[in-house]
Amino acid sequence: MTTKVFGHKSPDTDSTGSPIIWAWYMTEVLGQPAKPVLLGEPNTEAAFVLKHWDLPKPEIIAGVEAGEKVVIVDTNNPAELPEGINKADITAIIDHHKLVGGLETKGPIDITIRPLACTATIMFDLMGEAVATAPRGIKGAMLSCILSDTLEFRSPTTTAHDKAVCEKLAADLGVDIAELATAMFEAKSDVSEFSDAALLRMDSKEYTVDGKELRVSVLETTAPKLILDRKDSLMAAMVDVAKEDGADQVLLFVVDILKEEATLLVPNDFVKRIAEASFPCTVTGDTVVLPGIMSRKKQIIPALKV
């Protein structure tokens, strides 16, 4: 039986590239047939990475069947996975997020969760000497995933090991890190074709904070004005997105990669209360700038209070 390898819904570069990397390793090195799949359309940066490294876009699936063998990467949160995931045969989890709980397995499995900035960094370590035999596209996907998740080493989640692996891969591939990162971030910043609802769900995760269901969305960009110019329509769209997704509120953080700060949209008093309870700020309008805030995983989610 072929194992399906996938990451979270609303796939970013890491959740698009890491399934491709690990499915190659399982199939070509371990001799275990595996297939990368996605749980949604990849974002603009991930689509650029696929094209840049000449990697075919994995099939997009709506769900998994009972008993189907799967490997989960870049998440361990059931809310980010297909309905019925616990009926599948989960054989491994590779992740770099906090342990959420709620997944059930048919028996003991391999779980690797490490405090690194990127799933691809963990895979580089797990693959060991086999990395040297990987095709250029697989190594390129690794490099791109790390650059994306670390925001070219700007993110506070970046470790010295992430940077060292990235530099090793870049040297092997003959790639200029700054040039590749700039091209990736430009692709990520091109959101003109997306509806407001699509933007709110593009890089979005569901969390329960103090009994409230929050959809926490982050848009990382080198051109924040393109998004902030749409703030009125984005805030209006939050109402329907929250209702459709069963959330109490959508929070949108627009991360300026170059200035290393986030702007939180503040559509109502509820979000104002969250902002002032969670961050050292005073809200006086419908946005608030949060200097130094770059990471949802390390800086936003741990700080949120309702």
Side-chain angles (χ1 to χ4, degrees), residues 91-102:
T91 61
I93 298 171
I94 306 171
D95 192 18
H96 65 122
H97 297 90
K98 71 174 185 177
L99 186 63
V100 175

Side-chain angles (χ1 to χ4, degrees), residues 45 147 152 154 176-186:
E45 182 188 75
L147 283 176
E152 196 189 358
R154 295 175 176 88
D176 183 288
I177 284 177
E179 288 182 4
L180 176 58
T182 297
M184 288 171 54
F185 298 155
E186 286 177 353

Side-chain angles (χ1 to χ4, degrees), residues 14 18 96 116-122 142 145-146 149-150 162 297:
D14 196 19
S18 286
H96 65 122
L116 294 168
C118 183
T119 309
T121 308
I122 301 171
M142 282 187 179
C145 288
I146 300 169
D149 269 11
T150 65
D162 290 294
K297 178 176 65 176

Side-chain angles (χ1 to χ4, degrees), residues 44 63 90 144 152 189 218 222 228 259 283 289 292 295:
T44 51
I90 303 169
S144 299
E152 196 189 358
S189 300
V218 173
T222 55
L228 295 174
K259 287 188 176 180
V283 179
V289 176
S295 169

Side-chain angles (χ1 to χ4, degrees), residues 243-264:
K243 184 177 179 180
E244 291 169 9
D245 296 355
D248 292 293
Q249 181 64 53
V250 177
L251 302 180
L252 177 59
F253 295 81
V254 181
V255 173
D256 187 327
I257 296 171
L258 301 181
K259 287 188 176 180
E260 300 186 21
E261 65 184 22
T263 298
L264 171 63

Side-chain angles (χ1 to χ4, degrees), residues 65-71 85 87-91 106-107 109:
E65 298 179 5
E68 188 171 23
K69 288 186 178 297
V70 304
V71 170
I85 186 64
K87 294 181 180 179
D89 184 5
I90 303 169
T91 61
K106 304 297 184 186
I109 70 168

